[in-house]
Structures are given as structure tokens and as C-alpha cells.
Amino acid sequence: ALRGRISLMCLKLSNSGDTLKLLVPSYSRKTISGWSNYPCKVTSQEMMETEMGYRGSKSVLVNKTVKEQRVDGSWCIDKYRPMHLRYTLMGFERNYQIKVLSKQLNKTNFCTSASAQVKITKLDPWFVTGFCDGEASFSVSLYIDKRIKGRSGWVVKPSFQISLHSRDMKLLLQLQEFFSCGRIVSKKTRSEGSFRVNSLHDLTNFIIPHFVNYPLLSQKAADFYLFKQIVNLINTKVHLTEVGLQQIVNIKGSMNLGLSELQKHEFINYNPVARPIINYTEIPNPNWIAGFSSGEGCFLVSISKFNKNKISPNIQLIFKISQHRRDKNLLELIAKYVNCGAVYSHSENAFVFKVGKFADIIKKIIPVFKAHSIQGVKQLDYQDFCEIATLIGEGKHLTPKEIAKIQLIKDRMNTKRNYPKI
């Protein structure tokens, strides 16, 4: 032990079995780690459970056996208590969220190659808000559960959710790591993954405080404020009364698409509350733009065909963000912040912020995202976008050979990109 610089304390663990070679930090501190001993780190062990032999030690409490997992550095000495050993209690195996613990490792591998795990990087709070302005949803489910006795039978379930294509699973993991709560649900049949938070405790203590400190800027903020009211009512148990339930129905009636036809039929006297007015006057942080663009932005390359009047085709780089007409003001704030581009009417119900001038792309758009990174698979489109901008800036877009190279780059962008199978 001394030769290997291992503390002699480990020799006291007589029933802990052989030392394992690989200790993997737990990514889910709430469901796997149990109680963490700062500054130590709770670790899970990569191995086959069927060949484990010893699983640590066992304690017998009133004819019930509880499994224990040793914690690295778990010996504790302080001035109030003598030296003692701390454990992470794993409980009964039938209650494990992951029955075979080594499968936890596989959860972090579905967006990486076989030889490497996902590197989870910390997201900026304003980036998260910007991304949620584009991709998140605040919803409240209202349905009848006949198993509930003693009241109306209506169940109120608030939920926060972000759904993305499965190729963006790494970004969902980053969001889960940022909020320190929720779970990720993968739907392979639909090539879709979702980050969901349904726990009332997590909504109250993690989700809502974030958006209070870093407010949403789009009209989605109105849904958030109504959502917060409903969560507060549930926390005070008001939803268990007829009057409180009707109050929640009135609030839900102004959220998103309102009530379903069944709910309108059941609550014929519902009266939707006034929807909050969202009218911000500025973009608070460039990371918000990076987050919003990671969800809603689009990096495009347009190559016109040859014609008699031009020696070579015209190549244009375009950055744009499209939104419903109710968020036209938000697009105008973005144009004002980056000091370029303009907002155009795209259709009866949609507007688009568009930047097509090459000087603005080079001097204003690209620098913004160089300093405040695009996240997710859209970052690949941004990198190709920058590569083409560099070629054009160096004058390497005039000959047929150079144009063919740009065409090849364009053909791998956006919907044409071939992503590795997950």
C-alpha cells in the first residue's frame, strides 16, 4: 500500500473485495450517488455484476439486508466525533432505478463513438434561456383518474419538456446536467429524445427559479408565468378543492393552445385569465442569442446557376431566424443587437430576420458565434458556413474547381448532413 501510495485506511475494508480498476464518476447524483461526501466523490464501478463476487458489505436491520456501496475517501475525522466510516446505502435491489448498475455507463454513450464517452460541458444560463425560448414547452396535463376517491377525480400534472432529434442527445444531456434534475426519454421509433421534468419538487426548486433569474424573452414567457401560478397553487394544495381546480382550469385556458374539447365540455363555466403581455426592449446577453440561434437559427448557402451575363455563379451566405408574427418584436431586437440584417414578412403569420450581406456575415454574425458558441449538431453547419466564408474572403470561389469545392461543403449542411447512427 505504501509503495503504491495508497492510504492504509483502505486496509480496514476487509469485506469490500478486490479493488476495481475503473471508477466512473456518477452523472446522476440524485438517483445513483445517494449522499455525496464533499470533497470526496461518489463513484460507480464498471464491471459485470454477475461476476462481482463481493458487492461491498451488508448490514442487517430487523431481518432486512441492506446493501452498501463504499465511498472513495469515506473515512472521516473531525473534532466532534471519533474517526468513523461513511457509506452510501443503495437500498433493496428491487428498488434500483437501474437494476444492473453498469448499464448506467451505456446511458452516456448513445451520442459518441464506441471508444469515447460524451464530454458534458457546462452551459451558460443565458444560453439555456435562449435555447428554451426556441425549443422548450411548459404544459399542464389535466385528466380524470377514476382510481382517485374523495374528490372530483381530476389530476393536475405540470411538466417542463425539451424535445429534439436523437442526434442532439448530447445537448439534452448538457441541459439535464445544467438543471441537475429531470430525465431523458428516447423514442427510437421517432428518432426523438426528450428532456422532461415532471417532479413538483424539481419544477419548484430548479426549473422555475432559473427562469425567474434569467427570464424568457419570447411570448413563451407568458406561458411560463401562467405555468408558475399553477405550480404555486398545487404546492399549496389548492388544486384539491373544487374552487382551486376551477382556478387552475381558468389559467390553463390561457396557456399554449388552451383547453381541449373534452375539458371545455367538463368545465363549461371556465373563464380564461388574461394572458401576460411580454414586451422586452433589449437583448440582455449575447449568450441568449447563441442559445436562441442554436434552436431557431439557420445557416444557409445559396449558389445561383451560370447565366450568359456572369462568368461565375453568385454565392451568397445567409443567416436567418423565423418566428410567428407575435414575436416580430423579438426579431427586431435581435437585428438591433447585432446591428445588421432586417426583419421581413415571410407569410401571413410568420416573420424572418435575415442577414445576407457578406460584410455583415464576416464582421458581425460570425464573430458573435465565435465568442458565444452555437451548441448541438447545428454547430457543424456553423463550422461549414465559416469555411465557405473563408474561401469567399480569400477569393477562392471563382473557378469551376473552387465552386465545386464549395458545392460539396453545401451538400453536407443542414438536412443533407449524414449523421452517425445512434
Side-chain angles (χ1 to χ4, degrees):
L2 291 174
R3 194 175 301 133
R5 295 186 180 181
I6 303 174
S7 171
L8 287 174
M9 292 298 183
C10 68
L11 300 178
K12 294 180 179 291
L13 306 181
S14 59
N15 65 335
S16 61
D18 296 331
T19 302
L20 298 175
K21 293 182 179 180
L22 178 60
L23 296 177
V24 183
S26 174
Y27 284 105
S28 180
R29 66 176 178 84
K30 297 188 72 176
T31 59
I32 302 300
S33 300
W35 176 56
S36 295
N37 301 317
Y38 183 84
C40 308
K41 183 183 295 182
V42 176
T43 55
S44 59
Q45 301 171 341
E46 182 180 27
M47 64 184 300
M48 293 181 62
E49 278 74 14
T50 56
E51 300 177 1
M52 278 185 71
Y54 287 102
R55 291 191 180 219
S57 62
K58 296 183 178 180
S59 296
V60 179
L61 302 174
V62 195
N63 299 324
K64 292 183 180 180
T65 301
V66 180
K67 295 175 184 176
E68 299 165 346
Q69 181 183 11
R70 300 293 191 193
V71 179
D72 183 25
S74 59
W75 280 97
C76 179
I77 304 175
D78 58 43
K79 62 182 179 179
Y80 300 107
R81 291 181 293 175
M83 183 173 65
H84 56 282
L85 180 64
R86 293 183 290 199
Y87 301 88
T88 297
L89 297 180
M90 300 300 290
F92 299 105
E93 189 170 9
R94 65 173 179 269
N95 295 328
Y96 289 6
Q97 291 196 11
I98 301 176
K99 300 298 182 183
V100 181
L101 296 181
S102 63
K103 290 184 179 179
Q104 182 206 1
L105 300 171
N106 298 331
K107 292 179 67 178
T108 64
N109 285 336
F110 37 57
C111 53
T112 61
S113 64
S115 60
Q117 288 187 344
V118 175
K119 182 180 180 181
I120 306 298
T121 56
K122 187 72 173 178
L123 297 175
D124 181 89
W126 277 114
F127 175 94
V128 172
T129 292
F131 190 78
C132 291
D133 258 315
E135 300 294 337
S137 65
F138 301 90
S139 61
V140 178
S141 299
L142 190 62
Y143 59 92
I144 296 176
D145 189 341
K146 296 181 179 179
R147 296 172 299 177
I148 299 177
K149 299 179 180 180
R151 58 187 178 92
S152 62
W154 285 92
V155 177
V156 183
K157 290 286 186 182
S159 177
F160 171 73
Q161 179 171 319
I162 301 174
S163 296
L164 302 174
H165 193 280
S166 57
R167 60 176 173 252
D168 256 325
M169 195 64 74
K170 178 182 175 181
L171 184 51
L172 290 176
L173 285 169
Q174 288 177 285
L175 291 163
Q176 183 186 40
E177 181 75 10
F178 176 85
F179 284 112
S180 300
C181 65
R183 62 194 181 99
I184 293 177
V185 179
S186 179
K187 297 181 179 179
K188 293 183 179 180
T189 56
R190 297 175 56 184
S191 298
E192 179 182 283
S194 298
F195 167 60
R196 299 178 185 175
V197 182
N198 299 323
S199 163
L200 189 63
H201 173 272
D202 292 342
L203 291 171
T204 304
N205 294 282
F206 296 104
I207 302 301
I208 289 177
H210 169 79
F211 293 109
V212 169
N213 295 325
Y214 302 92
L216 297 158
L217 305 185
S218 70
Q219 294 304 309
K220 192 172 293 180
D223 294 317
F224 166 72
Y225 292 132
L226 296 173
F227 179 84
K228 184 175 69 169
Q229 291 179 31
I230 292 178
V231 171
N232 290 338
L233 289 172
I234 297 174
N235 277 323
T236 56
K237 308 297 182 182
V238 173
H239 67 296
L240 300 178
T241 66
E242 293 292 339
V243 174
L245 181 61
Q246 184 65 57
Q247 189 177 355
I248 289 176
V249 169
N250 292 341
I251 297 173
K252 177 176 167 55
S254 297
M255 287 182 62
N256 303 314
L257 299 178
L259 301 180
S260 67
E261 292 302 319
L262 173 62
Q263 291 164 353
K264 291 178 181 178
H265 177 74
E266 293 290 336
F267 299 94
I268 56 176
N269 295 322
Y270 88 97
N271 183 24
V273 300
R275 187 175 172 85
I277 298 174
I278 307 300
N279 189 24
Y280 288 100
T281 58
E282 63 179 3
I283 303 295
N285 190 287
N287 282 299
W288 181 92
I289 292 182
F292 193 63
S293 299
S294 293
E296 300 291 284
C298 190
F299 299 94
L300 300 172
V301 180
S302 174
I303 303 179
S304 63
K305 296 182 179 180
F306 283 96
N307 58 52
K308 296 180 180 179
N309 300 322
K310 292 185 179 181
I311 300 176
S312 62
N314 181 50
I315 301 176
Q316 185 181 22
L317 298 179
I318 300 170
F319 172 70
K320 69 176 185 178
I321 302 175
S322 300
Q323 288 292 289
H324 191 276
R325 60 185 176 85
R326 62 175 173 261
D327 271 316
K328 177 186 176 183
N329 179 63
L330 181 61
L331 295 178
E332 292 172 343
L333 290 180
I334 294 173
K336 180 180 178 181
Y337 189 92
V338 297
N339 193 28
C340 65
V343 177
Y344 305 94
S345 175
H346 184 266
S347 64
E348 181 181 357
N349 292 317
F351 283 82
V352 59
F353 163 64
K354 183 177 179 181
V355 182
K357 188 176 179 181
F358 183 72
D360 290 338
I361 294 291
I362 290 292
K363 297 178 181 179
K364 297 177 181 178
I365 297 301
I366 288 179
V368 166
F369 299 126
K370 185 177 181 180
H372 311 281
S373 299
I374 295 288
Q375 298 289 338
V377 295
K378 193 167 291 183
Q379 187 181 56
L380 301 176
D381 297 324
Y382 168 70
Q383 291 170 354
D384 289 338
F385 188 81
C386 291
E387 184 178 352
I388 294 176
T390 300
L391 292 173
I392 295 175
E394 294 174 351
K396 298 179 179 179
H397 65 295
L398 303 176
T399 67
K401 184 177 180 180
E402 292 168 341
I403 294 170
K405 181 178 179 179
I406 292 176
Q407 183 69 54
L408 285 175
I409 299 173
K410 177 181 183 296
D411 288 343
R412 73 187 184 208
M413 293 177 64
N414 301 310
T415 57
K416 298 181 179 180
R417 186 177 300 281
N418 291 322
Y419 296 94
K421 291 184 179 181
I422 297 175

